[in-house]
Amino acid sequence: MSQKVSVKVNIGSTSTQPTPEPSPVKEPAPKKKFKLNGIQIGAICFVVLFAIICAVMSPVTAASGTLWALFPPVVAIGLALITKEVYSSLLIGTLVGALLAAKFSPAATMDYLINDAMISAVSGTAGIFLFLVFLGIIVSLLNKSGGSAAFGRWAQEHIKTRVGAMLATFALGVLIFIDDYFNCLTVGAVMRPVTDSHKVSRAKLAYLIDATAAPICMIAPISSWAAAVSGSVDPETAGMSGIKLFIMAIPYNFYSLLSLVFIIAICLMKFDYGPMRRHEWNAINKNDLFTEGERVESVEVKFNEKSKIMDLVLPVIVLIFCCAFAMIYVGGFFDGVDFITAFSDTDATVALPWGAIIALVFTIIYLICRKLITFKDAMKSVPEGFIAMIAPIIILTLATSLKNLTTGEEILNASAFVEGAMKDVAAGLQSLLPAIIFVVAVFIAFATGTSWGTFGILIPIVTTVFHDPSNPLFIMGISACLAGAVCGDHCSPISDTTIMSSAGAQCNHLNHVSTQIPYAMTCAAISALTYIVAGLTKNVFLPLLAGLVILIAVMYVLSRRSARENA
């Protein structure tokens, strides 16, 4: 059989070279038409309608202390839903806030954007940035040494099912009740290989992390959240200490309690709904853990025959112990302050990196002594850990920048508008006030992305409105404020806890937000009903029982509907 050979003659050279046949010209891929879906159209309409309402209520050049103060986060959230891109959405929202604060003066706008927003955000969250980086380095070390692989082998032998993997993630989240940041990142790092092996989507993992972290911290008296609530309470106005008020509010924190029950139920009932259903279907049937958005490349987890499960468990235990110790140390426990007061007065942004760096040094020395890793390889984990946390650091910086402009007393001062609105509503709706407080807290936390800032705004208002600490509505109002703050924080794409959950699960941030909202809203709607019942009955057990019955009934209906759709 003869073959055709193309011969190329080089001018000035006596040699000839065969050349390959020209490759066929590929037709350019047809451009996809940009088409808005229902959520995007709804987001556009909401932003435009919100702007119109703001303009009717007050001039745009007098935004401070008015509804305009909440417009920048509404823009950021709307853009995130429309573009499905979080960086530009947060940046544009922050720019809108700077423009409003500066009354559209170009020079003043840049001053607010750089100084009051971004520089303040970096300085205020520098401790969390350090904690993120230290934790990223520890995770890299555990992957290189084979500790993660050893835990994975153990998990494969003992955790046999998807339900077991999800419940194990929930259980670990419950055990780490000290701080939500610490909870999100630690649970994600430890459980991610386990859930991946059982084909649990990253969106579902992020939901399990997020829906456990804040609720469990909100009902744990020894946690950074208890300390934050205590710091928001004026003992003279409330008639009791902040920590006592926090503990009394736990039974009425219906959203947190129902969220924990919801997680267990949806894992055991083996169904999903909303966008989560598609993510889970793709994970189970296509082994696609991401479905859409950027796909985080799996970090290399090295197998080492000498590694044991203790090589992961011991550093994690040391990390937990050091962070807990650091929290009471920073709170002044060793200066003669009692344990509860030390936890109330601690600063997590100082304590967490304080404990993490000790755990990091211990982990390096331990792994080198075990001859699982060399010093040179350990040092390579330093930039690797930092690189792994760049995305959450950027998002957290932009979200905090937006938050600073929105809530700053000398800037847009959203709290002044909320306080005035709440006092107007409180006049004739005493029995319905817990439900109203819950809804208002959800909206503020969703718009500002901060649960701590939300109860920092609302708790002084609630204590002023009810006056008498012996009034059952006083405790209900505080609980509704705390519960609504957690709920809004769950739903908000600019929330730091939501960002940390996405980082811990290594999940596309907007995928996490879109899949979590239907679940959070289910619990929120039922919680709002329980607060109406609580306000009318002045009782804790009846509304909680009613909430549980309604939750199980709703989930049963949803599971039957899901089964029919799968048939």
Side-chain angles (χ1 to χ4, degrees):
M1 182 180 291
S2 63
Q3 292 182 339
K4 293 182 180 180
V5 179
S6 298
V7 178
K8 180 180 178 182
V9 181
N10 293 325
I11 298 174
S13 174
T14 58
S15 63
T16 62
Q17 295 179 349
T19 60
E21 294 287 345
S23 58
V25 179
K26 293 183 178 179
E27 292 289 336
K31 293 183 178 179
K32 293 183 178 179
K33 292 183 179 180
F34 181 73
K35 187 176 180 181
L36 296 173
N37 59 31
I39 293 176
Q40 291 169 321
I41 294 172
I44 293 172
C45 293
F46 179 75
V47 172
V48 172
L49 180 61
F50 194 90
I52 293 171
I53 295 172
C54 290
V56 170
M57 293 183 65
S58 57
V60 70
T61 53
S64 181
T66 69
L67 187 59
W68 279 112
L70 296 175
F71 184 63
V74 168
V75 169
I77 294 166
L79 285 175
L81 295 173
I82 295 165
T83 65
K84 297 184 178 181
E85 203 284 312
V86 70
Y87 300 112
S88 61
S89 302
L90 287 171
L91 183 58
I92 292 171
T94 305
L95 179 60
V96 170
L99 284 167
L100 290 174
K103 299 179 181 178
F104 299 93
S105 167
T109 296
M110 291 304 297
D111 187 45
Y112 277 113
L113 183 65
I114 300 301
N115 295 331
D116 294 281
M118 293 186 175
I119 292 178
S120 178
V122 172
S123 62
T125 52
I128 298 303
F129 293 165
L130 287 174
F131 179 68
L132 285 170
V133 172
F134 292 150
L135 191 59
I137 297 169
I138 291 173
V139 171
S140 178
L141 287 168
L142 296 178
N143 287 334
K144 282 187 176 182
S145 66
S148 297
F151 180 79
R153 293 195 302 271
W154 176 88
Q156 288 177 352
E157 294 175 3
H158 294 83
I159 301 176
K160 303 291 186 181
T161 63
R162 293 182 82 251
V163 173
M166 290 187 286
L167 290 178
T169 303
F170 169 74
L172 183 59
V174 169
L175 290 175
I176 305 177
F177 54 79
I178 294 173
D179 182 76
D180 56 330
Y181 288 173
F182 181 42
N183 187 310
C184 292
L185 295 169
T186 304
V187 174
V190 173
M191 295 306 299
R192 194 166 55 242
V194 179
T195 54
D196 284 357
S197 67
H198 286 284
K199 298 183 179 181
V200 176
S201 68
R202 291 294 177 85
K204 188 63 170 288
L205 174 61
Y207 167 72
L208 293 172
I209 294 170
D210 202 355
T212 306
I216 199 65
C217 290
M218 187 54 89
I219 60 174
I222 303 175
S223 69
S224 58
W225 284 58
V229 174
S230 299
S232 302
V233 175
D234 181 0
E236 292 184 6
T237 306
M240 64 186 78
S241 67
I243 194 67
K244 182 179 179 181
L245 182 62
F246 178 87
I247 293 172
M248 291 180 66
I250 291 174
Y252 291 98
N253 200 318
F254 299 131
Y255 179 81
S256 296
L257 296 171
L258 292 176
S259 291
L260 298 176
V261 174
F262 182 90
I263 294 172
I264 298 172
I266 205 163
C267 290
L268 294 176
M269 295 173 77
K270 301 180 184 178
F271 80 99
D272 291 281
Y273 59 96
M276 186 74 80
R277 187 167 173 242
R278 183 164 68 96
H279 282 258
E280 283 290 87
W281 190 92
N282 285 339
I284 295 169
N285 296 287
K286 296 183 178 180
N287 200 25
D288 179 4
L289 302 179
F290 300 93
T291 298
E292 60 185 359
E294 70 268 15
R295 295 164 184 265
V296 180
E297 294 183 4
S298 298
V299 179
E300 181 184 1
V301 179
K302 294 186 178 179
F303 176 78
N304 189 329
E305 292 183 354
K306 294 192 297 182
S307 64
K308 299 178 180 178
I309 185 175
M310 189 55 65
D311 298 324
L312 180 136
V313 173
L314 185 59
V316 171
I317 291 174
V318 171
L319 179 64
I320 294 172
F321 174 80
C322 289
C323 288
F325 178 84
M327 283 184 139
I328 60 172
Y329 172 79
V330 171
F333 179 72
F334 295 97
D335 294 330
V337 177
D338 65 90
F339 185 82
I340 299 297
T341 305
F343 237 102
S344 300
D345 294 340
T346 194
D347 183 351
T349 62
V350 176
L352 291 179
W354 200 99
I357 195 169
I358 296 175
L360 174 59
V361 172
F362 168 83
T363 302
I364 292 172
I365 295 172
Y366 171 77
L367 295 177
I368 291 175
C369 291
R370 285 266 294 129
K371 297 183 179 179
L372 297 174
I373 194 171
T374 65
F375 181 77
K376 186 176 181 180
D377 285 337
M379 292 302 100
K380 287 180 180 178
S381 290
V382 174
E384 291 174 3
F386 182 83
I387 290 170
M389 293 298 174
I390 286 177
I393 286 175
I394 293 173
I395 295 173
L396 189 59
T397 300
L398 292 173
T400 307
S401 300
L402 179 60
K403 191 184 308 176
N404 290 343
L405 292 176
T406 304
T407 60
E409 290 185 6
E410 302 297 326
I411 309 175
L412 291 178
N413 197 14
S415 59
F417 169 76
V418 174
E419 182 175 0
M422 282 294 298
K423 286 182 178 178
D424 291 339
V425 171
L429 297 171
Q430 286 282 318
S431 294
L432 295 178
L433 209 51
I436 294 171
I437 292 170
F438 175 76
V439 173
V440 170
V442 169
F443 177 75
I444 295 173
F446 180 78
T448 61
T450 167
S451 49
W452 288 20
T454 298
F455 52 68
I457 292 169
L458 288 182
I459 286 178
I461 298 172
V462 173
T463 54
T464 302
V465 167
F466 287 110
H467 302 294
D468 184 8
S470 63
N471 183 352
L473 290 175
F474 178 86
I475 299 298
M476 292 180 195
I478 295 293
S479 297
C481 166
L482 302 182
V486 174
C487 178
D489 184 79
H490 270 173
C491 301
S492 178
I494 61 175
S495 158
D496 44 9
T497 309
T498 309
I499 294 165
M500 293 300 99
S501 300
S502 300
Q506 291 190 357
C507 169
N508 175 275
H509 182 56
L510 293 180
N511 283 351
H512 169 43
V513 174
S514 63
T515 54
Q516 176 165 264
I517 284 179
Y519 290 2
M521 286 294 96
T522 300
C523 292
I526 298 171
S527 298
L529 292 175
T530 59
Y531 280 114
I532 292 174
V533 176
L536 295 173
T537 63
K538 311 294 189 298
N539 183 278
V540 63
F541 298 108
L542 183 60
L544 184 56
L545 180 61
L548 289 172
V549 170
I550 295 171
L551 178 64
I552 298 302
V554 168
M555 295 193 70
Y556 176 77
V557 171
L558 290 171
S559 67
R560 297 296 296 174
R561 179 181 174 185
S562 178
R564 285 197 302 270
E565 291 175 352
N566 291 333

